[in-house]
């Protein structure tokens, strides 16, 4: 495994050991900042809309614009790493992220905020994949599992603690600080990257050869994939809000996404210098790992975005309280990740992935069992810990498995695909869960209402008793008391129907994890301790 130039010291040199872990912490810090911001801003949308005079529908573009920009930039991460240099690209992305975060916080209008969020998304599309590639080449094979564990803490824990931190900042200060907090982190991390990270010799040579031959930019592939991913992300982000295919814009963009992405894939398969190296999917291990990563992205982002909404809308939790309910899961991941990193040096990655999928599936089914309008804080927090245990056994082994049998020169491409697939999976997960909750709420409500008619003697008697005992005491007329009682019952019906819809959503996630277990048997064995490097014929 190639080492960074800073680490090219004799084996056993203590300084090299300190430096590589300093690099790991630096990379994880930058990635943590990016993922945290992506997952936490939703908590502040109501405050942002009120401050900038924007409607609730308009202010959701704060999230949509960033996701679209990130989807556009992710496929370019590998090419830019070669053209600019990995460490320099990482540093520039961090500085630009800090500047855009500052301008987001200073925005005085929704238009300015959306422009800065788009810029922030472009930078965020570079940070995670380049950071993962830096880690891969900074550690010897036997220690890569532990390095990826630290990276996994940043990627998986950030969405769980993001709502808590964002809620506290909004409640204690203002929504501006949700963005301001990124500025010192970004600049400090950029300084550390400049001081610590150097490109490995292979990448330096590849960059020199590329410039000597003349940098060739795959403009057609970039345009097709960029526009296609933008359209796809828009459809996933706005689909349920715009009632999916009842919207002409959603229909047109869905068709555009399909045509552009299929055209982009065909072009990339034939291009001389493709933006995406689709030959990686000839490896069944890599393909299976990417499919599982898609499910993990759906599970992570789908549950993390919807659970706080359940707690706030149905149980009346504040933003901070809903964040506290899912924080124990993040803390358990911090403790678990180093153990999983160590286990990747002892156990085949595919068996760890299988175990993680089983636990994740059971955790989702447990969620479906315990969710109700009377569920207490402790039960929700415990369920989140169970789910986090499953996630802890997924991210690191999947990352290790994705490199099995692939050449070192593919590091940038593998890192890019891993993050791209996780991002797309997250988009699909959020869209699927939102749709299930909306549609199944209507279904359950109609089923419940079918039984609440005056032809049902139990309902009629209960309604009269409820109206008399509750509303009759405030001197309401008989008719008014009955109407008020019916209104109160309808609100309860809505709550119960929505709760049942959330239950269905977690069943969906649970079965997705369960069915994904079969993908484990398509993966080839990696040699434990080899950092995912097995025989070359994966």
């Amino acid at each position: 495994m190639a080492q960074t130039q800073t680490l090219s010291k004799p084996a056993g040199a203590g300084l090299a050991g300190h430096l590589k872990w300093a690099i790991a912490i630096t990379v994880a810090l930058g990635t943590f900042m990016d993922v945290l911001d992506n997952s936490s801003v939703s908590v502040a949308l109501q405050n942002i809309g009120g401050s900038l005079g924007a409607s609730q529908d308009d202010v959701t573009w704060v999230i949509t614009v960033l996701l679209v920009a990130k989807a556009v930039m992710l496929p370019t991460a590998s090419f830019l790493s070669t053209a600019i240099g990995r460490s320099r690209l990482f540093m520039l992305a961090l500085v630009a992220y800090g500047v855009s975060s500052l301008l987001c916080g200073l925005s005085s209008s929704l238009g300015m905020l959306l422009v800065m969020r788009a810029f922030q998304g472009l930078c965020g599309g570079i940070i995670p994949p380049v950071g993962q590639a830096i880690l891969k080449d900074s550690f010897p094979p036997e220690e890569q599992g532990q390095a990826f564990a630290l990276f996994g803490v940043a990627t998986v824990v950030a969405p769980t603690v993001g709502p808590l931190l964002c809620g506290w900042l909004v409640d204690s200060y203002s929504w501006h600080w949700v963005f301001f907090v990124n500025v010192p982190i970004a600049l400090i991390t950029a300084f550390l990257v400049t001081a610590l990270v150097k490109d490995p010799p292979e990448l330096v040579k590849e960059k020199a050869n590329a410039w000597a031959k003349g940098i060739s930019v795959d403009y057609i592939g970039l345009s097709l994939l960029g526009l296609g991913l933008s359209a796809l992300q828009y459809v996933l982000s706005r689909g349920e809000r715009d009632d999916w295919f009842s919207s002409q814009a959603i229909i047109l963009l869905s068709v555009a996404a399909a045509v552009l992405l299929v055209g982009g894939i065909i072009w990339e398969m034939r291009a001389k210098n493709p933006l995406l190296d689709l030959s990686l999917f000839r490896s069944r291990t890599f393909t299976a790992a990417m499919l599982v990563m898609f499910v993990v992205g759906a599970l992570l982002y789908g549950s993390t975005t919807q659970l706080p909404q359940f707690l706030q809308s149905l149980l009346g939790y504040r933003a901070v309280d809903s964040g506290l309910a899912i924080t124990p899961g993040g803390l358990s991941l911090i403790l678990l990740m180093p153990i999983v990193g160590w286990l990747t040096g002892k156990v085949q990655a595919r068996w760890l992935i299988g175990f993680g999928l089983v636990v994740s599936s059971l955790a989702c089914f447990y969620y479906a069992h315990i969710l109700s309008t009377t569920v207490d804080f402790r039960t929700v927090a415990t369920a989140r810990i169970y789910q986090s245990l499953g996630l802890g056994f997924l991210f690191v082994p999947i990352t290790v498995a994705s490199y099995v049998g692939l050449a070192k020169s593919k590091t940038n491409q593998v890192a890019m695909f891993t993050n791209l697939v996780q991002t797309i999976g997250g988009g699909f997960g959020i869209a699927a869960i939102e749709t299930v909750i909306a549609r199944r709420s209507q279904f359950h409500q109609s089923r419940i209402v079918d039984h609440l008619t005056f032809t049902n003697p139990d309902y009629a008697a209960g309604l009269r008793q409820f109206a008399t005992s509750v509303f009759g005491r405030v001197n309401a007329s008989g008719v008014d008391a009955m109407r008020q009682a019916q209104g109160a019952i309808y609100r309860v019906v809505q709550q119960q129907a929505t709760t049942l819809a959330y239950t269905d959503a977690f069943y969906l996630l649970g079965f997705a994890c369960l069915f994904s277990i079969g993908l484990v048997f398509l993966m080839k064995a990696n040699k434990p301790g080899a950092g995912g490097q097995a025989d070359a014929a994966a």
Side-chain angles (χ1 to χ4, degrees):
M1 173 54 59
Q3 303 285 320
T4 60
Q5 290 178 351
T6 307
L7 304 177
S8 58
K9 294 195 172 191
L15 183 61
H18 292 311
L19 280 174
K20 64 190 177 188
W21 284 109
I23 290 173
I25 294 172
T26 300
V27 168
L29 182 62
T31 303
F32 185 86
M33 173 195 66
D34 172 60
V35 179
L36 183 77
D37 188 77
N38 294 349
S39 60
S40 63
V41 172
S42 58
V43 178
L45 289 183
Q46 185 174 355
N47 299 77
I48 294 173
S51 174
L52 301 180
S55 67
Q56 192 63 31
D57 185 65
D58 289 339
V59 80
T60 57
W61 282 98
V62 172
I63 295 176
T64 303
V65 164
L66 180 133
L67 294 176
V68 169
K70 193 169 186 178
V72 172
M73 186 55 67
L74 269 169
T76 69
S78 177
F79 166 77
L80 293 175
S81 293
T82 300
I84 299 175
R86 192 186 291 160
S87 59
R88 181 178 297 177
L89 176 63
F90 196 59
M91 183 271 295
L92 291 174
L94 287 166
V95 172
Y97 197 96
V99 172
S100 61
S101 295
L102 175 64
L103 295 175
C104 282
L106 294 175
S107 296
S108 57
S109 67
L110 182 62
M112 178 180 176
L113 179 58
L114 294 180
V115 172
M116 291 303 103
R117 282 288 280 177
F119 189 38
Q120 195 179 42
L122 295 175
C123 303
I126 293 174
I127 292 173
V130 175
Q132 181 180 322
I134 289 173
L135 276 187
K136 180 68 169 59
D137 282 346
S138 296
F139 282 79
E142 63 274 9
E143 295 181 357
Q144 285 172 10
Q146 299 174 49
F148 287 141
L150 185 60
F151 189 81
V153 168
T155 305
V156 182
V157 174
T160 65
V161 301
L164 173 63
L165 176 61
C166 183
W168 177 76
L169 288 171
V170 171
D171 291 344
S172 302
Y173 301 97
S174 70
W175 66 266
H176 304 276
W177 283 94
V178 174
F179 300 106
F180 288 154
V181 72
N182 294 329
V183 178
I185 299 175
L187 297 182
I188 291 172
T189 307
F191 171 77
L192 292 174
V193 169
T194 303
L196 298 173
V197 183
K198 304 296 180 184
D199 290 339
E202 291 85 353
L203 187 61
V204 173
K205 184 177 180 180
E206 185 180 354
K207 174 185 173 183
N209 291 338
W211 280 100
K213 296 178 181 178
I215 294 292
S216 176
V217 181
D218 183 12
Y219 290 109
I220 295 179
L222 176 60
S223 299
L224 290 172
L225 294 172
L227 292 173
L229 289 171
S230 298
L232 175 63
Q233 194 62 62
Y234 178 94
V235 170
L236 295 176
S237 300
R238 303 285 301 185
E240 178 56 35
R241 188 177 299 274
D242 295 341
D243 198 21
W244 290 106
F245 297 111
S246 297
S247 166
Q248 186 175 6
I250 294 296
I251 294 175
L252 292 175
L253 287 173
S254 297
V255 173
V259 172
L260 290 168
L261 290 176
V262 171
I265 290 173
I266 294 174
W267 175 268
E268 292 297 284
M269 293 175 65
R270 299 181 176 183
K272 184 177 180 181
N273 296 306
L275 196 66
L276 304 183
D277 187 357
L278 297 176
S279 66
L280 294 177
F281 287 94
R282 295 173 184 170
S283 164
R284 72 168 190 253
T285 302
F286 178 80
T287 302
M290 292 302 99
L291 290 174
V292 177
M293 183 60 84
F294 181 91
V295 174
V296 171
L299 172 64
L300 176 62
Y301 290 100
S303 62
T304 302
T305 57
Q306 295 306 315
L307 186 59
Q309 291 186 26
F310 172 83
L311 297 175
Q312 292 177 48
S313 62
L314 294 178
L315 302 187
Y317 282 34
R318 296 180 305 160
V320 173
D321 295 331
S322 64
L324 283 172
I326 63 177
T327 296
L331 297 177
S332 64
L333 275 172
I334 294 175
L335 298 176
L336 180 63
M337 281 294 193
I339 299 174
V340 177
W342 175 80
L343 283 174
T344 56
K346 308 294 181 182
V347 182
Q348 290 183 21
R350 55 181 177 171
W351 304 135
L352 295 177
I353 295 171
F355 177 77
L357 288 171
V358 170
V359 175
S360 295
S361 178
L362 293 176
C364 289
F365 293 147
Y366 180 68
Y367 261 126
H369 175 71
I370 58 99
L371 285 185
S372 70
T373 54
T374 58
V375 65
D376 58 83
F377 180 93
R378 181 177 180 179
T379 303
V380 173
T382 301
R384 187 65 182 184
I385 291 175
Y386 294 157
Q387 186 183 23
S388 297
L389 292 177
L391 287 171
F393 278 90
L394 288 172
F395 182 81
V396 176
I398 292 172
T399 305
V400 170
S402 64
Y403 288 97
V404 169
L406 300 179
K408 298 176 186 177
S409 60
K410 304 297 183 182
T411 295
N412 288 336
Q413 285 283 332
V414 173
M416 180 273 298
F417 271 118
T418 301
N419 286 273
L420 178 61
V421 169
Q422 185 182 12
T423 300
I424 295 176
F428 270 96
I430 294 172
I433 297 305
E434 288 180 345
T435 302
V436 167
I437 292 172
R439 303 301 166 88
R440 295 295 289 179
S441 293
Q442 297 174 356
F443 170 79
H444 289 300
Q445 181 175 318
S446 66
R447 293 294 298 272
I448 295 173
V449 169
D450 286 343
H451 298 281
L452 302 182
T453 65
F454 286 101
T455 58
N456 182 342
D458 293 331
Y459 169 71
L463 179 63
R464 283 192 294 269
Q465 183 179 0
F466 182 50
T468 302
S469 62
V470 178
F471 296 101
R473 295 180 180 177
V474 293
N475 298 322
S477 67
V479 175
D480 288 341
M482 291 290 283
R483 288 176 178 173
Q484 292 176 41
Q486 285 179 309
I489 290 174
Y490 181 67
R491 287 191 291 272
V492 174
V493 168
Q494 287 182 311
Q495 289 180 334
Q496 294 299 326
T498 304
T499 300
L500 290 172
Y502 274 96
T503 296
D504 294 339
F506 275 100
Y507 271 124
L508 175 64
L509 291 174
F511 281 116
C513 293
L514 195 62
F515 293 148
S516 298
I517 295 173
L519 295 170
V520 172
F521 298 98
L522 297 178
M523 299 180 183
K524 288 196 173 184
N526 66 299
K527 298 175 183 178
Q533 298 299 321
D535 56 275

